[in-house]
Amino acid sequence: MFWDKVKETMPREELEALQSARLRDVAARAARSPFYKKRFAEAGVDAASVRGLEDLRRLPFTTKQDLRDWFPYGLVAADMKDVVRLHASSGTTGKSTAVFYSRADIDNWADMVARCMAMTGADSSDVFQNMTGYGMFTGGLGMHFGAERLGMLTIPMGAGNTKWQMANMKMYGTTVIHITPSYALHLCEEFAAEGIDPKRDLKLRIALVGAEPYSEGTRRKLEDFLGASVFNSYGLSEMNGPGVAFECVEKNGMHLWEDHYILEIVDPKTLEPVAEGERGEIVMTTLTREAMPIIRYRVRDLTSVLPGTCPCGRTHRRIDRITGRSDDMLIIKGVNVFPSQIEDALMSMSEVGGGWQIELTRVEGADHITVNVEVADSFFRGDIKELNRLRKSIQGAIKNETLVTPEVKLVEPNTLPRSVGKAVRVIDKRQI
Amino acid sequence: MAVQAVVFMQNMPGRLARMTGALAGAGVNIRATTISSSEGFGVAKFLVDKPEAAAAALKDAGFPVALKSVVAVKMDDSVGGLDRILPLIQSRDINLEDAYGFILERGKEAVFVFEVEHPEELGEFLSRNGCSVMSDSDLYGL
Ligand SMILES: [Zn+2]
């Protein structure tokens, strides 16, 4: 099912001509932000000289660090009176990033999400239960606006509260859900525990599953149990949020909306484009964003573009499942966390000895993070209460920095591996 | 003021044996020991004949160690022995952080060890009230 057939099936030449025209405009818009004014000048790029896609590679890259360094308003290119919303990533100090939207940005976003949903077969007769977090995260409101745009009856549940989620699914006859893979697996267990067979007792037919990476095995498991068709979703807050790319009914790669974004796949080391179909790092340029245009953003997710055309008729290229990151970012409970954030929180405390380690596990379908922290020799004064206070304050410091509450375990000094690199700092035992 | 060695350790197999091994290697004699654990870690306390040597040996073995003052009181090993001391402590509104006891000679003498915020004060107070508070040399020389 098409939401916007003209755009979705636009011949490649036309699509690329549209991209060229839009790149010209967005370069000019971006140059109005303090960040790009400076960055373009440094790179010797005059935004007015950008004529089309052929000039793309003259434009400088943008990184997450740039977003942090220029937080909060450095990349805003629109007049503040035209900015209507912000979403922000985790982090309360120097690690925060915020993304701003104009009314047209919200409108375009809703449109892209509606396209994604229609592409999976959802339509205005569906009942949609949104089971991801609302608020500062983009997953909740992003999907919500798209679902309403499509015309579905939308139940804004948010994440958690599993019993109520299940009750609502029964009471309102929910047919479409949006959920993270880890929460979906947990939901399956809860259904089983309550003796509910979704295939018999619910009307569920489509599950939009995203915000965390998951495997084909998980998809099969969810489809078998829920009796619903599971679609993979891709998005990131810097590029609006969910709805950047989505699977069609072919379930072979995710169509990325190339009328709104330029997609590049580059070698993370050389930053040169990879050969067609090769794996590399995603780089994206927003084409229609007004409030906060972002040029050549190094997303750091690794994937490849699938060759050939899709039988569904859409001309927008498909990206494969995300297979990793070119940096050390972790996704914990759907929240992006960098080990360096945890390090910063720990190292701000004099009681902490130097050694630390993150352990990620999955308990009942939910991510669980344990931070092992060595106690500094000099801190220990023989008081168990003091140690427990320390545990609490470490927990608080990490939560402040990452918005994720870890379990904190105190360990003896010099017992954690010392060598550098994330391999020993992070032990990810999650299996999905 | 008498001191005990307090050691931070992880709750995992072999930690205690490593400590007693270190103490034996340093020729330290253990009079009494207690272990309390909390949220994945533990604190072991050793009352020994040579606290400084004990602390050095445990530090060498890699453990964070602190020497903490305690008040040790000798009492009759008979019914009601402890019951004479606790009301005294309570009357001063003193909060016991930790306490443990051990028997010196069955049916005759026992020692009770108290950990409080101001041990000097408690020691003097108990002495004034007829308790037999042990001196450092008494305690270490048991
Ligand atoms: Zn398709």
Side-chain angles (χ1 to χ4, degrees):
Chain A
M1 220 98 67
F2 292 98
W3 173 249
D4 185 345
K5 191 165 183 182
V6 174
K7 290 271 170 51
E8 292 175 50
T9 62
M10 193 177 259
R12 284 302 302 182
E13 276 156 53
E14 273 179 51
L15 187 54
E16 278 159 28
L18 180 64
Q19 286 189 317
S20 276
R22 287 184 167 174
L23 178 62
R24 215 157 47 224
D25 294 346
V26 79
R29 276 203 304 280
R32 290 203 284 267
S33 73
F35 167 71
Y36 282 112
K37 185 181 269 181
K38 185 158 181 283
R39 178 58 55 91
F40 285 172
E42 282 164 0
V45 175
D46 175 9
S49 75
V50 174
R51 312 250 41 104
L53 282 180
E54 64 276 15
D55 297 312
L56 178 65
R57 288 180 58 198
R58 287 201 291 124
L59 298 175
F61 289 101
T62 306
T63 64
K64 191 163 199 107
Q65 193 58 46
D66 293 328
L67 266 54
R68 288 179 185 143
D69 291 346
W70 290 77
F71 174 87
Y73 294 120
L75 275 81
V76 173
D79 199 323
M80 283 310 287
K81 74 176 172 37
D82 297 321
V83 178
V84 300
R85 191 184 312 160
L86 77 81
H87 281 284
S89 72
S90 52
T92 53
T93 57
K95 299 285 191 215
S96 307
T97 56
V99 179
F100 299 86
Y101 305 74
S102 69
R103 203 174 296 281
D105 294 337
I106 296 284
D107 204 52
N108 279 327
W109 184 16
D111 218 62
M112 280 186 267
V113 173
R115 271 189 210 177
C116 295
M117 290 171 161
M119 185 158 63
T120 68
D123 63 37
S124 57
S125 59
D126 277 302
V127 177
F128 173 67
Q129 190 162 328
N130 195 9
M131 302 168 74
T132 53
Y134 279 69
M136 293 294 259
F137 302 118
T138 52
L141 282 173
M143 294 301 272
H144 182 104
F145 274 57
E148 288 188 352
R149 174 65 55 92
L150 184 62
M152 294 196 282
L153 169 58
T154 303
I155 311 174
M157 275 296 294
N161 222 330
T162 307
K163 292 244 164 19
W164 194 22
Q165 300 271 15
M166 298 195 294
N168 281 351
M169 290 172 85
K170 280 179 101 165
M171 290 188 297
Y172 302 118
T174 300
T175 54
V176 181
I177 58 172
H178 175 231
I179 191 165
T180 64
S182 50
Y183 190 43
L185 288 170
H186 178 59
L187 190 70
C188 289
E189 285 169 12
E190 292 289 307
F191 274 133
E194 299 276 315
I196 297 171
D197 175 2
K199 291 195 280 285
R200 180 191 66 208
D201 304 324
L202 302 177
K203 294 191 174 139
L204 200 59
R205 63 186 198 94
I206 293 171
L208 312 173
V209 180
E212 298 161 1
Y214 61 105
S215 65
E216 280 301 321
T218 300
R219 186 210 305 263
R220 275 194 298 277
K221 191 171 170 185
L222 292 174
E223 289 191 332
D224 285 350
F225 188 83
L226 295 172
S229 196
V230 170
F231 292 89
N232 195 8
S233 134
Y234 180 70
L236 60 153
S237 61
E238 295 91 326
M239 295 289 132
N240 281 351
V244 173
F246 228 88
E247 281 179 336
C248 65
V249 287
E250 300 294 328
K251 294 187 187 171
N252 181 24
M254 297 174 279
H255 291 284
L256 190 138
W257 301 123
E258 293 183 272
D259 54 336
H260 290 285
Y261 305 101
I262 296 174
L263 167 67
E264 295 173 85
I265 307 281
V266 303
D267 180 315
K269 290 210 179 63
T270 64
L271 300 183
E272 293 295 318
V274 298
E276 220 183 310
E278 293 276 299
R279 201 166 92 112
E281 180 185 312
I282 300 182
V283 170
M284 285 174 78
T285 299
T286 64
L287 285 174
T288 51
R289 272 248 286 265
E290 294 180 340
M292 187 178 180
I294 304 182
I295 308 294
R296 302 195 82 197
Y297 184 63
R298 292 190 61 190
V299 174
R300 299 286 193 164
D301 285 330
L302 298 174
T303 189
S304 58
V305 169
L306 296 178
T309 54
C310 186
C312 77
R314 289 178 183 82
T315 51
H316 300 245
R317 289 182 297 166
R318 293 160 299 161
I319 54 170
D320 203 355
R321 270 185 193 284
I322 306 303
T323 50
R325 304 249 330 151
S326 62
D327 62 9
D328 55 359
M329 187 183 86
L330 305 167
I331 302 178
I332 303 168
K333 300 175 187 173
V335 179
N336 298 347
V337 176
F338 289 90
S340 60
Q341 289 177 286
I342 290 174
E343 180 164 22
D344 284 353
L346 291 173
M347 294 309 131
S348 68
M349 311 184 73
S350 60
E351 302 90 335
V352 173
W356 56 276
Q357 196 172 47
I358 302 168
E359 230 180 279
L360 297 166
T361 51
R362 190 158 276 136
V363 182
E364 290 179 349
D367 288 343
H368 188 81
I369 170 170
T370 305
V371 180
N372 295 313
V373 183
E374 287 181 5
V375 177
D377 249 318
S378 52
F379 167 73
F380 182 67
R381 285 188 287 272
D383 189 345
I384 210 160
K385 278 183 303 208
E386 202 168 47
L387 292 169
N388 275 323
R389 269 198 298 277
L390 174 63
R391 270 185 59 247
K392 288 260 153 53
S393 56
I394 291 174
Q395 199 175 42
I398 294 174
K399 178 165 189 228
N400 250 337
E401 191 66 40
T402 64
L403 303 186
V404 169
T405 306
E407 182 186 340
V408 174
K409 272 194 187 150
L410 299 179
V411 303
E412 292 162 20
N414 304 310
T415 52
L416 295 174
R418 271 302 183 282
S419 51
V420 289
K422 74 162 177 167
V424 291
R425 287 289 198 213
V426 179
I427 297 177
D428 199 339
K429 295 179 177 163
R430 293 176 296 183
Q431 305 240 311
I432 190 154
Chain B
M1 204 78 239
V3 292
Q4 63 183 353
V6 185
V7 193
F8 172 80
M9 62 171 189
Q10 275 160 266
N11 285 353
M12 57 188 212
R15 303 318 286 161
L16 205 56
R18 193 175 156 84
M19 289 184 206
T20 52
L23 293 175
V28 172
N29 201 350
I30 304 171
R31 302 286 175 228
T33 178
T34 68
I35 302 165
S36 27
S37 67
S38 168
E39 310 290 339
F41 64 87
V43 168
K45 296 174 180 174
F46 295 98
L47 196 67
V48 296
D49 57 349
K50 288 175 281 201
E52 303 285 344
L58 290 164
K59 261 190 189 131
D60 278 349
F63 295 100
V65 186
L67 288 174
K68 243 190 146 183
S69 298
V70 289
V71 180
V73 182
K74 204 181 263 187
M75 62 182 79
D76 294 340
D77 179 22
S78 62
V79 177
L82 194 55
D83 198 39
R84 278 187 284 281
I85 299 175
L86 288 181
L88 273 175
I89 296 178
Q90 210 175 17
S91 71
R92 296 280 290 205
D93 215 7
I94 291 169
N95 189 29
L96 283 183
E97 282 170 16
D98 196 9
Y100 57 92
F102 56 97
I103 291 163
L104 284 180
E105 200 178 331
R106 201 187 177 117
K108 281 193 166 170
E109 269 185 327
V111 175
F112 226 83
V113 180
F114 298 102
E115 226 185 283
V116 292
E117 200 182 342
H118 304 293
E120 308 259 359
E121 226 178 272
L122 178 66
E124 279 168 30
F125 170 71
L126 290 176
S127 294
R128 275 204 309 278
N129 285 277
C131 298
S132 124
V133 175
M134 299 174 78
S135 70
D136 299 11
S137 51
D138 280 351
L139 188 63
Y140 302 151
L142 282 175

